[in-house]
């Protein structure tokens, strides 16, 4: 592997190192690994071909563009901690991934695509049952949403501008006998797993794999008044967010499962229910002794939108993230969030209250695989050492 | 609130420039969300333009407080008196 070092001018502020590092994956296809030094001055890249001056200039120019766009300006979001249970004792200090793989509890099909074995599946079901109980206390109406989402829907809520880097596109072969016959006879994958077909074989893209659950509900409510002026819904489903070289272990999956409790109505209705769901979950986390904190956060907006959108979200406290302790790496992992979108979806999708004003929306969302991974990171794989609540669920 | 005409006009001009909209659309009572342009992204454009033109510092408090023309004028008036 070849290494390329770039000096960042100016240095990347400490609070933005993680955000900038996650975007470096999308700078250039030659990058296989990216690391920013703790002082924010040095960017070390592993690249898949020998570094010449032309390559250095190309990558350096793009990286400086990313750094400048994401860091210029004086505003520094103030992180507010709403819950802090990080001192809860954790019994395990090892990364559970190697043992999960070795025991066949996980099978990696490709980067970010994992099959879950019986133990992890039951743990996922345990958390899902907890969330279903939460939804029941809100008398939430159940929904089932498709895996595919039309491109024109995502366009309508500015998703392409905010998160272009993580989109996953769906297509099919063109309706053409010659093209289909040609595909059937010639399709094969190379040593990298890449299909050997040209883009011309495929139809135009009209749908994507869905990046979030709650969007489907908002689209179902679009362009009409909201009956009764308020609603609470719940749904669970697969979500897809491409994270390039950041796809590692169960921490970052391309294909993951999100459970959501969704609030639609007036501002106070949404905010009160978001808060009530947070308090309910604080008790549920206490029951299993999860080491975590809840703090203000922002979505992973892409480079061009990042600075302004992140600052706005932080200032108005639109997102509270649940960050679980990962003892083996002395770090935390976002396992869920309590979100308030203001009237963004109401305005963009023309969903109205009885007085004609746009609805406000919010959601409480959890990544089920991440929940299981955080739990296993804190407790290990020996069920006998798990909290009684979880052992009871497993019949132990 | 005793806000001078000149300040309101300056604020209206600043918002019009930040939101890229005709100055006539920036009414004296305009609030965040009243114009499609004054959304989250537009608001941050407004904040940065105010920072630049009036030498104020953007922080969590200013972002959440300066959400209408009257609030901006009031804030700038108080700031002028204390400086």
């Amino acid at each position: 592997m070849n290494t390329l070092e770039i000096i960042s001018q100016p240095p990347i502020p400490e609070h933005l190192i993680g955000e900038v590092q996650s975007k470096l994956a999308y700078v250039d296809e030659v990058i296989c690994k990216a690391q920013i030094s703790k002082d924010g001055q040095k960017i070390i890249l592993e690249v898949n071909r020998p570094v010449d001056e032309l390559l250095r200039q190309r990558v350096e120019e793009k990286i400086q563009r990313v750094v400048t766009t994401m860091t210029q300006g004086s505003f520094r979001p103030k992180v507010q901690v709403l819950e802090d249970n990080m001192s809860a004792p954790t019994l395990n200090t090892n990364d559970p991934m190697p043992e999960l793989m070795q025991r066949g509890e996980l099978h990696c099909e490709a980067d970010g695509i994992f099959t879950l074995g019986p133990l992890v599946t039951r743990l996922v079901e345990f958390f899902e049952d907890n969330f279903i109980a939460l939804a029941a206390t809100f008398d939430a109406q159940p929904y089932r949403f498709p895996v595919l989402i039309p491109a024109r829907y995502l366009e309508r809520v500015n998703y392409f501008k905010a998160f272009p880097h993580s989109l996953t596109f769906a297509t099919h072969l063109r309706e053409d006998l010659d093209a289909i016959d040609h595909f059937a006879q010639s399709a094969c994958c190379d040593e990298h797993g890449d299909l050997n077909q040209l883009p011309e074989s495929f139809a135009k893209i009209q749908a994507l794999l869905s990046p979030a659950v709650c969007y489907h509900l908002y689209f179902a409510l679009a362009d009409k008044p909201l009956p009764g002026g308020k609603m609470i819904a719940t749904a669970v489903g697969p979500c897809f967010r491409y994270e390039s070289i950041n796809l590692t272990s169960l921490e970052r999956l391309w294909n993951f499962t999100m459970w959501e409790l969704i609030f639609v109505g007036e501002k106070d209705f949404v905010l009160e229910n978001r808060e009530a769901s947070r308090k309910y979950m604080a008790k549920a986390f206490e029951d299993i002794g999860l080491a975590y904190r809840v703090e203000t956060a922002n979505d992973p907006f892409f480079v061009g939108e990042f600075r302004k959108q992140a600052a706005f979200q932080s200032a108005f406290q639109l997102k509270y993230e649940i960050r679980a302790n990962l003892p083996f790496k002395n770090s935390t992992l976002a396992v869920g969030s309590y979100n308030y979108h203001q009237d963004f979806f109401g305005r963009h999708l023309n969903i109205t209250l009885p007085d004609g004003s746009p609805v406000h929306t919010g959601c409480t969302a959890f990544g089920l695989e991440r929940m299981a991974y955080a739990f296993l990171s804190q407790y290990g794989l020996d069920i006998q050492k798990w909290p009684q609540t979880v052992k009871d669920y497993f019949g132990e | 609130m005793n806000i001078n005409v000149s300040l309101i006009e300056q604020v209206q001009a600043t918002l019009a420039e930040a939101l890229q909209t005709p100055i006539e659309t920036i009414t004296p009572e305009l609030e965040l969300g009243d114009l499609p342009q004054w959304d989250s992204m537009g608001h941050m454009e407004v904040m940065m333009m105010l920072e630049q033109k009036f030498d104020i510092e953007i922080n969590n408090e200013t972002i959440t407080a300066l959400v209408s023309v009257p609030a901006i004028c009031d804030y700038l008036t108080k700031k002028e008196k204390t400086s």
Side-chain angles (χ1 to χ4, degrees):
Chain A
M1 198 55 71
N2 307 281
T3 304
L4 174 56
E5 281 191 16
I6 291 170
I7 303 300
S8 176
Q9 287 295 346
I12 300 156
E14 189 186 351
H15 70 283
L16 287 175
I17 286 177
E19 294 279 8
V20 174
Q21 187 165 302
S22 71
K23 302 300 183 303
L24 295 179
Y26 307 96
V27 164
D28 197 290
E29 285 180 318
V30 299
I31 297 173
C32 304
K33 194 173 174 188
Q35 185 73 40
I36 300 173
S37 62
K38 282 184 180 170
D39 60 10
Q41 291 195 336
K42 202 187 288 181
I43 296 167
I44 304 126
L45 305 172
E46 282 185 15
V47 296
N48 62 10
R49 67 177 171 90
V51 179
D52 57 26
E53 196 47 34
L54 211 60
L55 178 68
R56 169 181 285 280
Q57 280 179 12
R58 185 180 85 199
V59 174
E60 191 164 1
E61 183 275 320
K62 286 199 270 189
I63 283 197
Q64 291 298 359
R65 199 171 355 132
V66 169
V67 171
T68 305
T69 310
M70 290 183 72
T71 64
Q72 69 184 177
S74 60
F75 179 74
R76 177 176 181 162
K78 200 191 296 177
V79 175
Q80 188 188 332
V81 177
L82 288 88
E83 296 170 41
D84 191 345
N85 197 35
M86 287 292 280
S87 59
T90 51
L91 301 175
N92 178 57
T93 52
N94 298 322
D95 182 356
M97 279 301 287
E99 193 178 346
L100 287 168
M101 298 289 285
Q102 191 266 327
R103 285 171 53 164
E105 277 295 336
L106 291 178
H107 172 69
C108 182
E109 296 188 353
D111 289 346
I113 306 173
F114 279 88
T115 295
L116 309 185
L119 181 88
V120 184
T121 297
R122 291 197 68 198
L123 202 48
V124 162
E125 286 170 355
F126 166 78
F127 286 112
E128 193 172 357
D129 282 357
N130 268 268
F131 300 137
I132 289 169
L134 164 68
T137 66
F138 285 81
D139 199 20
Q141 298 302 301
Y143 277 77
R144 290 181 74 86
F145 298 125
V147 171
L148 293 171
I149 194 162
R152 61 192 159 85
Y153 279 8
L154 292 180
E155 180 197 23
R156 206 169 158 188
V157 293
N158 289 343
Y159 201 92
F160 296 157
K161 275 188 184 160
F163 308 104
H165 55 304
S166 61
L167 293 167
T168 308
F169 303 93
T171 184
H172 52 83
L173 291 173
R174 288 188 297 110
E175 289 89 341
D176 181 281
L177 185 61
D178 293 336
I180 295 170
D181 275 345
H182 174 75
F183 179 90
Q185 283 158 26
S186 65
C188 63
C189 295
D190 66 14
E191 70 273 22
H192 306 293
D194 297 339
L195 200 55
N196 66 340
Q197 298 295 301
L198 296 170
E200 294 77 38
S201 305
F202 300 101
K204 287 182 180 173
I205 291 164
Q206 292 192 316
L208 292 90
L209 297 181
S210 190
V213 170
C214 61
Y215 284 29
H216 292 278
L217 179 69
Y218 308 143
F219 292 126
L221 301 174
D223 299 315
K224 49 185 176 278
L226 179 69
K230 61 182 177 184
M231 76 176 298
I232 300 179
T234 184
V236 61
C239 292
F240 301 82
R241 294 180 191 174
Y242 180 67
E243 301 214 30
S244 183
I245 57 173
N246 302 319
L247 292 166
T248 53
S249 75
L250 288 191
E251 278 190 62
R252 291 189 183 277
L253 296 173
W254 189 357
N255 174 3
F256 61 98
T257 316
M258 196 188 292
W259 178 92
E260 288 202 36
L261 182 62
I262 310 158
F263 314 111
V264 187
E266 292 182 350
K267 176 182 179 180
D268 289 349
F269 174 79
V270 172
L271 286 175
E272 282 165 14
N273 280 295
R274 177 176 77 153
E275 190 61 8
S277 70
R278 183 172 74 80
K279 288 188 172 153
Y280 180 100
M281 287 312 301
K283 174 73 175 63
F285 290 146
E286 190 185 322
D287 286 347
I288 59 165
L290 191 74
Y292 76 102
R293 65 172 181 266
V294 175
E295 63 186 26
T296 52
N298 57 263
D299 284 315
F301 299 104
F302 198 54
V303 177
E305 299 258 311
F306 171 78
R307 197 163 53 90
K308 290 179 213 160
Q309 295 276 32
F312 188 86
Q313 268 194 334
S314 167
F316 283 93
Q317 301 201 359
L318 302 183
K319 186 179 197 73
Y320 301 143
E321 217 161 57
I322 304 117
R323 302 199 66 89
N325 189 16
L326 296 184
F328 74 89
K329 60 193 297 194
N330 197 23
S331 180
T332 61
L333 174 68
V335 293
S337 57
Y338 307 106
N339 306 287
Y340 170 47
H341 316 121
Q342 299 178 306
D343 62 356
F344 177 84
F345 290 104
R347 278 189 292 111
H348 283 264
L349 299 176
N350 188 30
I351 314 167
T352 51
L353 291 164
D355 68 1
S357 64
V359 297
H360 287 236
T361 59
C363 66
T364 291
F366 289 93
L368 295 180
E369 294 86 352
R370 280 190 177 191
M371 281 297 316
Y373 184 63
F375 178 88
L376 292 169
S377 295
Q378 294 186 14
Y379 283 99
L381 272 65
D382 182 356
I383 296 179
Q384 296 311 317
K385 293 181 179 171
W386 289 2
Q388 193 58 48
T389 318
V390 193
K391 277 163 73 172
D392 288 347
Y393 187 84
F394 275 70
E396 295 287 333
Chain B
M1 194 159 52
N2 180 22
I3 297 165
N4 64 58
V5 173
S6 152
L7 180 61
I8 290 183
E9 285 172 351
Q10 282 181 66
V11 168
Q12 286 176 308
T14 304
L15 263 68
E17 188 178 346
L19 300 173
Q20 297 182 343
T21 182
I23 196 162
E24 300 77 39
T25 61
I26 310 294
T27 62
E29 300 299 323
L30 194 74
E31 294 181 10
L32 169 65
D34 283 353
L35 289 176
Q37 297 93 325
W38 198 354
D39 58 5
S40 56
M41 290 292 274
H43 188 62
M44 296 312 296
E45 293 289 349
V46 168
M47 292 298 102
M48 285 187 287
M49 194 70 80
L50 288 170
E51 184 181 43
Q52 191 185 319
K53 303 246 175 179
F54 295 93
D55 194 27
I56 64 168
E57 189 187 334
I58 297 181
N59 55 37
N60 277 350
E61 286 71 35
T62 44
I63 291 172
T64 53
L66 306 186
V67 291
S68 69
V69 172
I72 294 167
C73 291
D74 195 30
Y75 177 85
L76 293 173
T77 304
K78 280 179 188 160
K79 193 169 181 300
E80 199 173 84
K81 280 181 185 165
T82 54
S83 61

